[in-house]
Amino acid sequence: MDFFEVIVRFFQQGGLFMYPIALVLAVGLAIATERWLTISAALNSNRRTSRAVLPLVQQGNLKAVMHLAEKTGSPIACVISAASELWIKQRERDALESKMAEGLLETVPQFERRTPYLATLANIATLMGLLGTIIGLIAAFTAVANADPAEKATVLSQAISVAMNTTAFGLITAIPLLVVHALIQSKTRQLIDSLETTGVKCLNLLTGQQQSLNRSEGL
């Protein structure tokens, strides 16, 4: 008997609750794949953009920064572009900080969305597995009550084995979803940290240039 046949038999013996658990697994894998690809792409784009933006900010070429933001569309480029546009009009650090914070608040939620669903789906899979097992055990003891005395032990052991398959499948679904949830959360936190770090660097570069200019004018 090959592995595929074992999986099919395991699934068939679990009862009706195996199907909703399988649906939960499919939805969870779809969400996990979409979130992982989206966040990975944003993280790579942010790294490339940061390497391109910081030298331009240091040179004071803010128009090139805004052009780059329009070209790449990366999250950090959009935040810095809006801040650069404000800095051209109003050279105040407090206003610039508020603008960057506003940009981050608008950007960050798009990377955190749907990720909490993975933990919820893991809990649903576990609970559905337990519910399927309980219902299976109820049916098992009902069948034992109507079985011949010589067959009761065999009927009960077979029914319990089938009922436990549902719990096993629920845990098989829940554990990977929880692991992926933790990994995606860690990757999201890494992305947010990189956004904040690049934003602070640009803020310091812009205000540092203004302070140097003010000192030169004072001299």
Side-chain angles (χ1 to χ4, degrees):
M1 184 181 297
D2 59 16
F3 179 75
F4 180 74
E5 291 179 355
V6 173
I7 295 298
V8 171
R9 177 170 295 183
F10 169 78
F11 192 84
Q12 291 174 340
Q13 291 179 347
L16 293 177
F17 277 86
M18 300 291 274
Y19 295 96
I21 295 174
L23 178 61
V24 169
L25 177 60
V27 172
L29 291 177
I31 293 175
T33 302
E34 184 270 334
R35 287 288 82 196
W36 185 270
L37 294 176
T38 298
I39 295 170
S40 297
L43 188 58
N44 292 332
S45 176
N46 182 61
R47 288 171 178 168
R48 292 193 301 268
T49 305
S50 297
R51 289 193 292 265
V53 164
L54 290 177
L56 294 175
V57 175
Q58 191 171 16
Q59 297 166 10
N61 193 352
L62 301 185
K63 291 184 178 180
V65 172
M66 290 185 282
H67 176 72
L68 182 64
E70 294 178 358
K71 182 179 178 180
T72 63
S74 66
I76 190 59
C78 295
V79 172
I80 295 174
S81 175
S84 299
E85 186 176 356
L86 176 65
W87 184 253
I88 293 173
K89 300 176 182 178
Q90 184 180 356
R91 295 178 177 268
E92 295 181 3
R93 183 182 177 92
D94 292 340
L96 187 60
E97 287 180 347
S98 299
K99 189 65 177 180
M100 283 193 169
E102 179 184 344
L104 289 174
L105 288 174
E106 293 176 352
T107 302
V108 168
Q110 65 179 298
F111 300 114
E112 295 178 332
R113 68 179 60 168
R114 288 189 290 277
T115 300
Y117 292 164
L118 294 175
T120 302
L121 290 172
N123 291 329
I124 290 173
T126 303
L127 294 175
M128 291 183 71
L130 292 174
L131 180 59
T133 297
I134 292 171
I135 292 176
L137 290 176
I138 293 173
F141 284 111
T142 302
V144 168
N146 299 323
D148 293 334
E151 299 177 354
K152 284 187 176 183
T154 302
V155 172
L156 182 61
S157 63
Q158 290 177 348
I160 290 176
S161 175
V162 171
M164 295 303 290
N165 286 351
T166 312
T167 296
F169 189 45
L171 293 176
I172 290 172
T173 299
I175 292 172
L177 289 181
L178 288 175
V179 172
V180 173
H181 175 258
L183 292 174
I184 292 177
Q185 275 193 323
S186 176
K187 204 171 189 65
T188 303
R189 185 67 258 174
Q190 184 180 359
L191 173 61
I192 295 172
D193 289 343
S194 68
L195 290 171
E196 293 176 347
T197 300
T198 304
V200 170
K201 287 181 178 179
C202 290
L203 176 65
N204 292 334
L205 286 173
L206 290 172
T207 55
Q209 290 172 359
Q210 183 63 31
Q211 290 173 358
S212 299
L213 180 61
N214 291 340
R215 284 195 298 268
S216 300
E217 292 177 352
L219 291 175

